[in-house]
Amino acid sequence: DVKVTQSSRYLVKRTGEKVFLECVQDMDHENMFWYRQDPGLGLRLIYFSYDVKMKEKGDIPEGYSVSREKKERFSLILESASTNQTSMYLCASSAPGGATNEKLFFGSGTQLSVL
Amino acid sequence: DQQVKQNSPSLSVQEGRISILNCDYTNSMFDYFLWYKKYPAEGPTFLISISSIKDKNEDGRFTVFLNKSAKHLSLHIVPSQPGDSAVYFCAASGNNQGGKLIFGQGTELSVKP
């Protein structure tokens, strides 16, 4: 089974702090994604990556950056955390090519609270 | 602009009855649709999918129907069980989306014993 591991289940940070959310997958997937989940808004794509060192903006990239130095690891960075970034953050991965590349495997999520 | 919409935030169904969850989309370029199920404090898990070349896909108690002309899909769960209580997300993908999934807002299903 694919395993996507997010380093923290819960995080509490202060406004203005730099925050790192880490995600590791063990299935050699090329594609990795960061989503945030908010009530009434569903899952919204922040950033994604199709290869090492490569990144693409999603629908809501403002206030975030990412890093993909190794194939298995995709990090989400909040440069200066703000209260409106309080959310559930979900990392996902998928294999490239064909109809199955759209099938995402998600981690358990990180509930981030910014005070 | 919400390209994938789930207009019912919640749904309550009696155990043993049918649950029908609905999803509408606006982008005619979407050609692959998926349903995910999410329990609290867990990540979403893949449930069932359908390609735009089909109008129905069935997997056990779960069936997804696609009506391309209406840009509408639905998930049927028969019979519903208390363990089906979760949030269900509809998602869509297409050639012009670069492999990304676009998700709806989710519908919280409650199956009562």
Side-chain angles (χ1 to χ4, degrees), chain A residues 50-78:
Chain A
Y50 290 146
D51 203 351
V52 176
K53 305 275 188 188
M54 177 268 180
K55 60 185 178 184
E56 292 281 348
K57 292 180 180 179
D59 298 318
I60 51 164
E62 296 79 17
Y64 304 94
S65 63
V66 290
S67 171
R68 186 132 183 237
E69 296 296 318
K70 294 185 178 181
K71 188 176 185 180
E72 68 270 19
R73 186 179 296 270
F74 193 35
S75 303
L76 180 69
I77 303 155
L78 286 67

mmCIF file of all heavy atoms in Angstrom, chain A residues 50-78:
data_model
loop_
_atom_site.group_PDB
_atom_site.id
_atom_site.type_symbol
_atom_site.label_atom_id
_atom_site.label_comp_id
_atom_site.label_asym_id
_atom_site.label_seq_id
_atom_site.Cartn_x
_atom_site.Cartn_y
_atom_site.Cartn_z
ATOM 1 N N TYR A 50 5.791 17.888 -10.240
ATOM 2 C CA TYR A 50 5.808 16.684 -11.069
ATOM 3 C C TYR A 50 7.185 16.028 -11.105
ATOM 4 O O TYR A 50 7.363 14.992 -11.740
ATOM 5 C CB TYR A 50 5.357 16.992 -12.486
ATOM 6 C CG TYR A 50 3.884 17.313 -12.609
ATOM 7 C CD1 TYR A 50 3.432 18.243 -13.536
ATOM 8 C CD2 TYR A 50 2.950 16.695 -11.797
ATOM 9 C CE1 TYR A 50 2.076 18.539 -13.656
ATOM 10 C CE2 TYR A 50 1.605 16.987 -11.901
ATOM 11 C CZ TYR A 50 1.170 17.913 -12.841
ATOM 12 O OH TYR A 50 -0.147 18.201 -12.951
ATOM 13 N N ASP A 51 8.161 16.654 -10.454
ATOM 14 C CA ASP A 51 9.503 16.078 -10.482
ATOM 15 C C ASP A 51 10.360 16.795 -9.448
ATOM 16 O O ASP A 51 9.997 17.875 -8.959
ATOM 17 C CB ASP A 51 10.114 16.233 -11.876
ATOM 18 C CG ASP A 51 11.222 15.215 -12.145
ATOM 19 O OD1 ASP A 51 11.637 14.504 -11.213
ATOM 20 O OD2 ASP A 51 11.679 15.148 -13.311
ATOM 21 N N VAL A 52 11.491 16.215 -9.159
ATOM 22 C CA VAL A 52 12.436 16.840 -8.227
ATOM 23 C C VAL A 52 12.820 18.217 -8.754
ATOM 24 O O VAL A 52 13.005 18.416 -9.960
ATOM 25 C CB VAL A 52 13.686 15.954 -8.067
ATOM 26 C CG1 VAL A 52 14.723 16.621 -7.185
ATOM 27 C CG2 VAL A 52 13.306 14.604 -7.491
ATOM 28 N N LYS A 53 12.927 19.157 -7.844
ATOM 29 C CA LYS A 53 13.321 20.540 -8.130
ATOM 30 C C LYS A 53 12.271 21.300 -8.924
ATOM 31 O O LYS A 53 12.472 22.465 -9.271
ATOM 32 C CB LYS A 53 14.648 20.599 -8.920
ATOM 33 C CG LYS A 53 15.804 19.873 -8.289
ATOM 34 C CD LYS A 53 16.509 20.728 -7.277
ATOM 35 C CE LYS A 53 17.780 20.019 -6.803
ATOM 36 N NZ LYS A 53 18.401 20.729 -5.693
ATOM 37 N N MET A 54 11.166 20.674 -9.227
ATOM 38 C CA MET A 54 10.146 21.323 -10.037
ATOM 39 C C MET A 54 8.947 21.649 -9.165
ATOM 40 O O MET A 54 8.593 20.887 -8.265
ATOM 41 C CB MET A 54 9.740 20.367 -11.167
ATOM 42 C CG MET A 54 8.642 20.872 -12.051
ATOM 43 S SD MET A 54 7.038 20.323 -11.461
ATOM 44 C CE MET A 54 6.000 21.087 -12.708
ATOM 45 N N LYS A 55 8.324 22.821 -9.397
ATOM 46 C CA LYS A 55 7.125 23.180 -8.642
ATOM 47 C C LYS A 55 6.221 24.023 -9.523
ATOM 48 O O LYS A 55 6.682 24.739 -10.413
ATOM 49 C CB LYS A 55 7.495 23.954 -7.383
ATOM 50 C CG LYS A 55 8.239 25.249 -7.644
ATOM 51 C CD LYS A 55 8.687 25.896 -6.340
ATOM 52 C CE LYS A 55 9.477 27.175 -6.624
ATOM 53 N NZ LYS A 55 10.018 27.778 -5.381
ATOM 54 N N GLU A 56 4.932 23.906 -9.248
ATOM 55 C CA GLU A 56 3.928 24.677 -9.983
ATOM 56 C C GLU A 56 2.932 25.254 -8.990
ATOM 57 O O GLU A 56 2.558 24.575 -8.020
ATOM 58 C CB GLU A 56 3.153 23.777 -10.963
ATOM 59 C CG GLU A 56 3.966 23.250 -12.129
ATOM 60 C CD GLU A 56 4.157 24.282 -13.217
ATOM 61 O OE1 GLU A 56 3.480 25.324 -13.177
ATOM 62 O OE2 GLU A 56 5.000 24.037 -14.104
ATOM 63 N N LYS A 57 2.461 26.446 -9.230
ATOM 64 C CA LYS A 57 1.449 27.047 -8.367
ATOM 65 C C LYS A 57 0.093 26.396 -8.619
ATOM 66 O O LYS A 57 -0.267 26.114 -9.756
ATOM 67 C CB LYS A 57 1.355 28.553 -8.632
ATOM 68 C CG LYS A 57 2.586 29.325 -8.203
ATOM 69 C CD LYS A 57 2.415 30.806 -8.491
ATOM 70 C CE LYS A 57 3.653 31.575 -8.048
ATOM 71 N NZ LYS A 57 3.533 33.026 -8.332
ATOM 72 N N GLY A 58 -0.618 26.222 -7.531
ATOM 73 C CA GLY A 58 -1.990 25.754 -7.622
ATOM 74 C C GLY A 58 -2.941 26.934 -7.648
ATOM 75 O O GLY A 58 -2.625 27.999 -8.180
ATOM 76 N N ASP A 59 -4.091 26.748 -7.025
ATOM 77 C CA ASP A 59 -5.124 27.786 -7.072
ATOM 78 C C ASP A 59 -4.955 28.865 -6.005
ATOM 79 O O ASP A 59 -5.436 29.984 -6.179
ATOM 80 C CB ASP A 59 -6.501 27.131 -6.914
ATOM 81 C CG ASP A 59 -6.784 26.170 -8.049
ATOM 82 O OD1 ASP A 59 -6.469 26.501 -9.207
ATOM 83 O OD2 ASP A 59 -7.309 25.058 -7.771
ATOM 84 N N ILE A 60 -4.277 28.532 -4.902
ATOM 85 C CA ILE A 60 -4.125 29.494 -3.806
ATOM 86 C C ILE A 60 -2.696 29.496 -3.272
ATOM 87 O O ILE A 60 -2.430 29.204 -2.113
ATOM 88 C CB ILE A 60 -5.127 29.205 -2.658
ATOM 89 C CG1 ILE A 60 -5.057 27.718 -2.231
ATOM 90 C CG2 ILE A 60 -6.544 29.568 -3.069
ATOM 91 C CD1 ILE A 60 -5.712 27.461 -0.889
ATOM 92 N N PRO A 61 -1.702 29.896 -4.075
ATOM 93 C CA PRO A 61 -0.304 29.812 -3.641
ATOM 94 C C PRO A 61 0.173 30.963 -2.760
ATOM 95 O O PRO A 61 1.253 30.878 -2.154
ATOM 96 C CB PRO A 61 0.449 29.834 -4.968
ATOM 97 C CG PRO A 61 -0.427 30.680 -5.859
ATOM 98 C CD PRO A 61 -1.844 30.351 -5.448
ATOM 99 N N GLU A 62 -0.623 32.021 -2.658
ATOM 100 C CA GLU A 62 -0.144 33.225 -1.968
ATOM 101 C C GLU A 62 0.152 32.922 -0.498
ATOM 102 O O GLU A 62 -0.678 32.357 0.216
ATOM 103 C CB GLU A 62 -1.204 34.335 -2.064
ATOM 104 C CG GLU A 62 -1.467 34.820 -3.493
ATOM 105 C CD GLU A 62 -2.369 33.895 -4.287
ATOM 106 O OE1 GLU A 62 -3.071 33.045 -3.672
ATOM 107 O OE2 GLU A 62 -2.372 33.990 -5.523
ATOM 108 N N GLY A 63 1.318 33.334 -0.056
ATOM 109 C CA GLY A 63 1.725 33.141 1.329
ATOM 110 C C GLY A 63 2.428 31.817 1.585
ATOM 111 O O GLY A 63 2.830 31.541 2.719
ATOM 112 N N TYR A 64 2.580 31.015 0.531
ATOM 113 C CA TYR A 64 3.206 29.692 0.644
ATOM 114 C C TYR A 64 4.357 29.553 -0.346
ATOM 115 O O TYR A 64 4.395 30.221 -1.374
ATOM 116 C CB TYR A 64 2.203 28.575 0.348
ATOM 117 C CG TYR A 64 0.959 28.585 1.202
ATOM 118 C CD1 TYR A 64 -0.197 29.226 0.771
ATOM 119 C CD2 TYR A 64 0.937 27.932 2.427
ATOM 120 C CE1 TYR A 64 -1.347 29.231 1.540
ATOM 121 C CE2 TYR A 64 -0.211 27.919 3.206
ATOM 122 C CZ TYR A 64 -1.353 28.573 2.757
ATOM 123 O OH TYR A 64 -2.483 28.565 3.525
ATOM 124 N N SER A 65 5.274 28.675 -0.024
ATOM 125 C CA SER A 65 6.274 28.217 -0.981
ATOM 126 C C SER A 65 6.480 26.727 -0.728
ATOM 127 O O SER A 65 5.969 26.184 0.257
ATOM 128 C CB SER A 65 7.593 28.992 -0.845
ATOM 129 O OG SER A 65 8.157 28.778 0.428
ATOM 130 N N VAL A 66 7.211 26.076 -1.639
ATOM 131 C CA VAL A 66 7.443 24.639 -1.493
ATOM 132 C C VAL A 66 8.888 24.318 -1.850
ATOM 133 O O VAL A 66 9.598 25.119 -2.470
ATOM 134 C CB VAL A 66 6.500 23.793 -2.391
ATOM 135 C CG1 VAL A 66 5.060 23.849 -1.899
ATOM 136 C CG2 VAL A 66 6.606 24.233 -3.845
ATOM 137 N N SER A 67 9.272 23.109 -1.449
ATOM 138 C CA SER A 67 10.611 22.627 -1.766
ATOM 139 C C SER A 67 10.526 21.147 -2.073
ATOM 140 O O SER A 67 9.897 20.386 -1.334
ATOM 141 C CB SER A 67 11.542 22.862 -0.571
ATOM 142 O OG SER A 67 12.792 22.232 -0.775
ATOM 143 N N ARG A 68 11.187 20.734 -3.181
ATOM 144 C CA ARG A 68 11.240 19.303 -3.517
ATOM 145 C C ARG A 68 12.672 18.989 -3.923
ATOM 146 O O ARG A 68 13.011 18.994 -5.093
ATOM 147 C CB ARG A 68 10.262 18.956 -4.624
ATOM 148 C CG ARG A 68 10.214 17.431 -4.874
ATOM 149 C CD ARG A 68 8.818 16.949 -4.942
ATOM 150 N NE ARG A 68 8.764 15.502 -5.114
ATOM 151 C CZ ARG A 68 8.134 14.920 -6.142
ATOM 152 N NH1 ARG A 68 7.518 15.663 -7.055
ATOM 153 N NH2 ARG A 68 8.109 13.614 -6.227
ATOM 154 N N GLU A 69 13.502 18.687 -2.924
ATOM 155 C CA GLU A 69 14.912 18.378 -3.154
ATOM 156 C C GLU A 69 15.117 16.899 -3.445
ATOM 157 O O GLU A 69 16.081 16.510 -4.107
ATOM 158 C CB GLU A 69 15.745 18.794 -1.948
ATOM 159 C CG GLU A 69 15.745 20.306 -1.699
ATOM 160 C CD GLU A 69 16.384 21.075 -2.831
ATOM 161 O OE1 GLU A 69 17.431 20.620 -3.351
ATOM 162 O OE2 GLU A 69 15.847 22.124 -3.230
ATOM 163 N N LYS A 70 14.220 16.075 -2.932
ATOM 164 C CA LYS A 70 14.270 14.637 -3.179
ATOM 165 C C LYS A 70 12.906 14.174 -3.659
ATOM 166 O O LYS A 70 11.884 14.761 -3.318
ATOM 167 C CB LYS A 70 14.670 13.881 -1.910
ATOM 168 C CG LYS A 70 16.078 14.160 -1.431
ATOM 169 C CD LYS A 70 16.420 13.286 -0.244
ATOM 170 C CE LYS A 70 17.860 13.532 0.192
ATOM 171 N NZ LYS A 70 18.237 12.673 1.348
ATOM 172 N N LYS A 71 12.919 13.100 -4.435
ATOM 173 C CA LYS A 71 11.676 12.626 -5.047
ATOM 174 C C LYS A 71 10.618 12.289 -4.010
ATOM 175 O O LYS A 71 9.431 12.534 -4.212
ATOM 176 C CB LYS A 71 11.971 11.390 -5.897
ATOM 177 C CG LYS A 71 10.826 10.903 -6.751
ATOM 178 C CD LYS A 71 11.277 9.752 -7.615
ATOM 179 C CE LYS A 71 10.198 9.321 -8.567
ATOM 180 N NZ LYS A 71 10.643 8.190 -9.431
ATOM 181 N N GLU A 72 11.026 11.726 -2.890
ATOM 182 C CA GLU A 72 10.058 11.239 -1.912
ATOM 183 C C GLU A 72 9.550 12.312 -0.945
ATOM 184 O O GLU A 72 8.629 12.059 -0.189
ATOM 185 C CB GLU A 72 10.667 10.080 -1.098
ATOM 186 C CG GLU A 72 11.815 10.485 -0.180
ATOM 187 C CD GLU A 72 13.164 10.390 -0.867
ATOM 188 O OE1 GLU A 72 13.209 10.362 -2.123
ATOM 189 O OE2 GLU A 72 14.173 10.348 -0.140
ATOM 190 N N ARG A 73 10.136 13.490 -0.978
ATOM 191 C CA ARG A 73 9.828 14.492 0.038
ATOM 192 C C ARG A 73 9.357 15.799 -0.602
ATOM 193 O O ARG A 73 9.983 16.325 -1.518
ATOM 194 C CB ARG A 73 11.070 14.748 0.890
ATOM 195 C CG ARG A 73 10.856 15.660 2.081
ATOM 196 C CD ARG A 73 12.163 15.816 2.853
ATOM 197 N NE ARG A 73 12.602 14.548 3.410
ATOM 198 C CZ ARG A 73 12.273 14.108 4.602
ATOM 199 N NH1 ARG A 73 11.486 14.830 5.385
ATOM 200 N NH2 ARG A 73 12.730 12.945 5.027
ATOM 201 N N PHE A 74 8.263 16.333 -0.073
ATOM 202 C CA PHE A 74 7.695 17.592 -0.583
ATOM 203 C C PHE A 74 7.323 18.432 0.620
ATOM 204 O O PHE A 74 6.481 18.029 1.430
ATOM 205 C CB PHE A 74 6.471 17.278 -1.447
ATOM 206 C CG PHE A 74 5.963 18.429 -2.287
ATOM 207 C CD1 PHE A 74 6.823 19.358 -2.843
ATOM 208 C CD2 PHE A 74 4.604 18.550 -2.559
ATOM 209 C CE1 PHE A 74 6.352 20.391 -3.635
ATOM 210 C CE2 PHE A 74 4.121 19.583 -3.350
ATOM 211 C CZ PHE A 74 4.994 20.503 -3.892
ATOM 212 N N SER A 75 7.950 19.580 0.757
ATOM 213 C CA SER A 75 7.759 20.434 1.927
ATOM 214 C C SER A 75 6.952 21.666 1.568
ATOM 215 O O SER A 75 7.167 22.274 0.518
ATOM 216 C CB SER A 75 9.118 20.862 2.493
ATOM 217 O OG SER A 75 9.904 19.729 2.806
ATOM 218 N N LEU A 76 6.046 22.015 2.451
ATOM 219 C CA LEU A 76 5.263 23.252 2.312
ATOM 220 C C LEU A 76 5.777 24.243 3.340
ATOM 221 O O LEU A 76 5.930 23.887 4.517
ATOM 222 C CB LEU A 76 3.773 22.976 2.528
ATOM 223 C CG LEU A 76 2.845 24.176 2.419
ATOM 224 C CD1 LEU A 76 2.777 24.675 0.974
ATOM 225 C CD2 LEU A 76 1.440 23.836 2.922
ATOM 226 N N ILE A 77 6.025 25.471 2.907
ATOM 227 C CA ILE A 77 6.595 26.492 3.784
ATOM 228 C C ILE A 77 5.651 27.679 3.848
ATOM 229 O O ILE A 77 5.223 28.203 2.805
ATOM 230 C CB ILE A 77 7.973 26.942 3.253
ATOM 231 C CG1 ILE A 77 8.901 25.724 3.133
ATOM 232 C CG2 ILE A 77 8.593 27.984 4.189
ATOM 233 C CD1 ILE A 77 9.995 25.887 2.116
ATOM 234 N N LEU A 78 5.326 28.069 5.071
ATOM 235 C CA LEU A 78 4.586 29.302 5.297
ATOM 236 C C LEU A 78 5.618 30.331 5.719
ATOM 237 O O LEU A 78 6.186 30.243 6.812
ATOM 238 C CB LEU A 78 3.523 29.117 6.385
ATOM 239 C CG LEU A 78 2.273 28.325 6.027
ATOM 240 C CD1 LEU A 78 2.566 26.860 5.752
ATOM 241 C CD2 LEU A 78 1.218 28.472 7.111
#
